[in-house]
Amino acid sequence: MDLVQDIVIVGAGLAGLATALGLHRKGVKSLVLESSPTMRTSGFAFTTWSNAWRVLDALGVGDKVRDHHVLLESFSVMSAASGDISAIMGLSGVQGKMGMHEVRCVRRDFLLETLATELPKDTIKYSSKIVSLEEDGNLTLLHLANGSIIRAKVLIGSDGINSVVAKYLGLKKPSSSGRWATRGFAEYPNGHEFKHEFLQINGAGFRCGFIPCSAKNMFWFFTWMPSQHGEEKVDESINMMREFVIKNLTTSKVPQEMIEVIKRSEMSEVVSSPLNYRFPMSVLFGNITKRNICVIGDALHPMTPDLGQGACSALEDSIILSRYLSDAVHQGKIEVGLEKFAKSRRWRCASVVATAYIVGSLQESSNSFVTFLRDKVLAGTMARALLKVSDYDCGNI
């Protein structure tokens, strides 16, 4: 099989599906290739900040998602060492430069399914793994694992942190932050009594957060830096990882009700994952686009999760690329459109990646001086950084 497609998007994650929907809203057809046999839903949930809600509204799916996720009212930071609240910040009813802030914890599977159902039938082609790429005049040849070849007039790499497209463009492999993460999701069929609050616990060598998605479930995350002694083996079973997280929390000043959340949680088959990021200078000056090819989402700007902006930034990519690329398709100036996209994203993405890395390093540190500085001086500043970075509007499609 040898097909010619106008626009091919590699990867049916958030960035890929949102971009396909943005193009569809502008009357431009695309084909999304997904290597997995079914929709990927790893990660359980993610914090959706104001910048992401503006994108979802522009795509016409905002209210559908809101109806199933509670509005978060506050963000609290607790010291793991003392158990004291070092910062409290309102999230609901807070006015930003771009409008009122809105924060919710959204189930990844729900959002992916919502985006997919808005797309025309047969837009997504599963079990379509790319094994190699090559240039063929003005086209890009995609060689699939099943032996078929697709010729793309435009190729968008939304294929994650180990992106085949990013490698083809010559982008350097993402760097390790030296930190790891695990996540879980707790169901409460009869409802829970937790406040609509994002509680984050910092210090003692880890960073942990608890966030309600709805009245019947809670999402949590735990990030840490493995010690040189290697007592925490990151590739062990779910039960061993759960025990590791609980042990760290019980030896710190973490409320017992939060530990109970972890005890009853479902955890991913991918027990833990390294937190990698793309060096900001690579985002600023690397080949994130070339000819008729570009990258978006984690293929462009993998980042540590400390600002909650990985998925939000991917959604920003989708709306901006949809706008520039749809105009470029109608004008017959694909390369110009992709260059405009790259120019508009470099500084924004590089600054978010850098800020997330710095904030995460400070939040996890168990150093006594850093702990004092973080808990007594910088807690409020770091909390406000979450709202500041999300006070961004990338415009309509």
Side-chain angles (χ1 to χ4, degrees):
M1 182 171 62
D2 194 342
L3 302 175
V4 177
Q5 295 286 337
D6 289 337
I7 299 175
V8 175
I9 300 171
V10 182
L14 290 177
L17 293 185
T19 300
L21 182 54
L23 291 170
H24 173 61
R25 298 293 194 223
K26 297 282 284 187
V28 177
K29 185 179 179 181
S30 65
L31 173 67
V32 181
L33 302 179
E34 170 55 45
S35 61
S36 301
T38 57
M39 187 174 293
R40 291 177 290 129
T41 57
S42 60
F44 293 115
F46 65 96
T47 314
T48 311
W49 296 83
S50 306
N51 51 328
W53 284 110
R54 294 185 183 104
V55 173
L56 296 178
D57 285 336
L59 292 173
V61 298
D63 287 341
K64 293 181 181 180
V65 181
R66 286 185 181 93
D67 289 344
H68 293 83
H69 301 87
V70 299
L71 180 66
L72 299 180
E73 298 172 356
S74 62
F75 174 76
S76 297
V77 181
M78 176 183 289
S79 168
S82 66
D84 295 333
I85 298 296
S86 54
I88 299 178
M89 179 177 67
L91 297 177
S92 177
V94 178
Q95 179 69 44
K97 292 181 180 179
M98 299 297 171
M100 299 297 290
H101 281 284
E102 178 181 3
V103 188
R104 302 170 195 261
C105 187
V106 172
R107 294 190 63 152
R108 186 176 294 271
D109 57 353
F110 183 89
L111 180 53
L112 287 173
E113 290 166 6
T114 299
L115 294 171
T117 55
E118 294 287 319
L119 291 168
K121 185 180 178 181
D122 298 329
T123 296
I124 308 171
K125 184 177 177 62
Y126 293 103
S127 299
S128 300
K129 183 178 180 179
I130 307 300
V131 293
S132 66
L133 303 171
E134 67 174 296
E135 188 176 328
D136 182 24
N138 293 326
L139 303 177
T140 301
L141 271 59
L142 289 74
H143 295 267
L144 276 62
N146 62 9
S148 62
I149 298 174
I150 296 178
R151 300 172 184 271
K153 295 180 182 179
V154 180
L155 174 61
I156 301 170
S158 178
D159 46 342
I161 196 165
N162 296 312
S163 170
V164 173
V165 181
K167 183 178 180 180
Y168 181 75
L169 289 175
L171 285 171
K172 292 182 179 180
K173 188 177 180 180
S175 302
S176 171
S177 68
R179 299 162 57 207
W180 287 72
T182 189
R183 305 163 183 86
F185 198 78
E187 297 278 6
Y188 296 81
N190 298 320
H192 60 70
E193 297 182 356
F194 293 106
K195 295 188 294 184
H196 294 179
E197 173 190 59
F198 181 162
L199 174 63
Q200 182 169 295
I201 303 164
N202 297 332
F206 67 81
R207 171 179 170 269
C208 188
F210 298 87
I211 321 171
C213 286
S214 74
K216 293 187 176 183
N217 47 53
M218 290 281 289
F219 170 68
W220 62 267
F221 61 83
F222 182 90
T223 69
W224 79 99
M225 182 175 290
S227 74
Q228 295 179 350
H229 302 293
E231 68 269 19
E232 59 270 31
K233 296 181 179 180
V234 297
D235 58 350
E236 293 289 354
S237 68
I238 289 176
N239 287 336
M240 291 189 71
M241 178 54 66
R242 192 192 309 274
E243 290 292 325
F244 167 67
V245 174
I246 292 173
K247 178 182 176 182
N248 274 272
L249 297 186
T250 53
T251 55
S252 302
K253 303 292 185 178
V254 176
Q256 183 60 36
E257 60 265 30
M258 295 306 172
I259 296 175
E260 293 299 324
V261 172
I262 294 174
K263 288 182 178 179
R264 69 180 296 154
S265 293
E266 171 192 357
M267 293 179 67
S268 172
E269 292 181 3
V270 179
V271 178
S272 61
S273 55
L275 297 180
N276 297 328
Y277 69 103
R278 190 173 303 289
F279 190 57
M281 295 299 285
S282 182
V283 178
L284 284 174
F285 302 110
N287 289 329
I288 64 176
T289 182
K290 183 170 65 175
R291 296 190 309 107
N292 63 337
I293 305 172
C294 75
V295 285
I296 59 175
D298 282 346
L300 167 58
H301 47 65
M303 64 184 73
T304 59
D306 309 288
L307 293 176
Q309 282 294 318
C312 298
S313 295
L315 289 171
E316 287 180 9
D317 294 341
S318 71
I319 209 79
I320 295 172
L321 179 58
S322 297
R323 182 168 62 242
Y324 285 130
L325 183 54
S326 60
D327 290 344
V329 167
H330 295 312
Q331 297 169 5
K333 298 180 179 180
I334 300 299
E335 194 167 338
V336 173
L338 295 184
E339 287 174 354
K340 287 181 178 179
F341 164 76
K343 183 178 180 180
S344 71
R345 296 305 288 157
R346 288 187 189 275
W347 282 103
R348 165 70 176 171
C349 295
S351 65
V352 175
V353 171
T355 304
Y357 179 87
I358 294 169
V359 168
S361 298
L362 289 172
Q363 288 176 342
E364 270 189 25
S365 178
S366 57
N367 177 276
S368 57
F369 175 72
V370 175
T371 298
F372 172 80
L373 194 65
R374 178 189 61 232
D375 295 347
K376 303 300 182 182
V377 181
L378 297 177
T381 300
M382 289 191 291
R384 288 189 293 275
L386 297 170
L387 287 183
K388 183 177 180 180
V389 75
S390 67
D391 196 11
Y392 181 81
D393 188 351
C394 55
N396 293 317
I397 302 174

